[in-house]
Amino acid sequence: MPEGHTIHRLARDLGRDLDHGPVAALSPQGRFAEGAARIDGNIFDKSEAYGKHLFCYWRTGDILHVHLGLIGKFRPTPLDDDPGDTIRLRLEGRDAAWHLTGPQSCAIITPEDRDDITAKLGPDPLRRGAKRRDDFISRLGSTKRPIGAALLDQSIVAGIGNVYRAELLLLTGIHPSRPACDLDEEQAGELWDLTVRQLKRGRKWNRIVTVSDDDVDRRVTHNIAPEDALYAYHRSDEPCRRCGTLIEAREIAGRSIWFCPSCQPR
DNA sequence: TACATATGATCAT
DNA sequence: TGATCCTATGTAA
């Protein structure tokens, strides 16, 4: 379930599991046979996330670039399992194996390619960097498109997807159709700060939970039922958890967004 | 069995 | 804006 938090968590977990020596690679599905053969037996150095892009660095200098797209998954699997024929890539270290299915992209790239990819991305709330916040504010300020469209644009901010955009706008009380450049600096800054906090929480729990602990009666985050974890996403005609007004849906940037007409006035 | 849908992005028109 | 790609899952037929 890939928004930025998933990819950052993946980078961390892959690093933990594969950073012990040579890694076996194969493509049971066949569509990445050449790439897998090139990686096979090589030393894994580190992995890194940038927005929704995952980069795995090999001692040979090769970089594995993975983008999960809408339906892709990259998950740990028992060492002794039987890889099915939809597994694009299997990576197997000494103690752990991972299976990649349905990626939007999976390729061996060069450091130059990697830089070309990241150069097109806006600031990533989960990466370090002193100017990220100002960068976000300035990029929002320079588009008249609706804020609901701007948050999905990876060249404005890298890592937000359809769930977080709805949740972040409800939590900040911003109507999704408001032009991004209409937000004042304080409001845009608040939106960035909230994004950082929420994505960190998502990375920690490896799932999206935006409701505050108060709102879930102090239950621990990982025990929250899926239907209780969010304020807005996919909650058409259900009462807002903050004010009781019925949640509405509309389409922005080709995707559905849900919002509270009272908490998020125009 | 078939279809709709999904936390994404690209390409064509 | 619409079609398309990739896979898994849930619901309908």
Side-chain angles (χ1 to χ4, degrees), chain A residues 104-135:
Chain A
Q104 177 171 106
S105 47
C106 172
I108 304 294
I109 64 169
T110 65
E112 294 71 37
D113 297 331
R114 182 266 182 211
D115 291 344
D116 289 344
I117 291 166
T118 60
K120 292 174 186 146
L121 300 173
D124 177 342
L126 289 179
R127 289 179 70 92
R128 287 291 158 204
K131 300 193 317 184
R132 293 168 310 152
R133 190 176 190 272
D134 289 342
D135 192 11

Side-chain angles (χ1 to χ4, degrees), chain A residues 123 125 132-143 147 150-151 156-157 160 168-169 172-174 178-197:
Chain A
R132 293 168 310 152
R133 190 176 190 272
D134 289 342
D135 192 11
F136 173 73
I137 294 171
S138 112
R139 289 182 196 228
L140 275 193
S142 47
T143 179
I147 182 68
L151 291 186
I156 291 180
V157 52
I160 294 180
L168 295 168
L169 289 177
T172 45
I174 300 169
R178 273 182 67 190
C181 58
D182 279 3
L183 304 196
D184 60 33
E185 263 192 41
E186 188 186 333
Q187 205 163 22
E190 191 187 323
L191 181 53
W192 172 261
D193 296 339
L194 179 70
T195 302
V196 171
R197 287 201 302 277

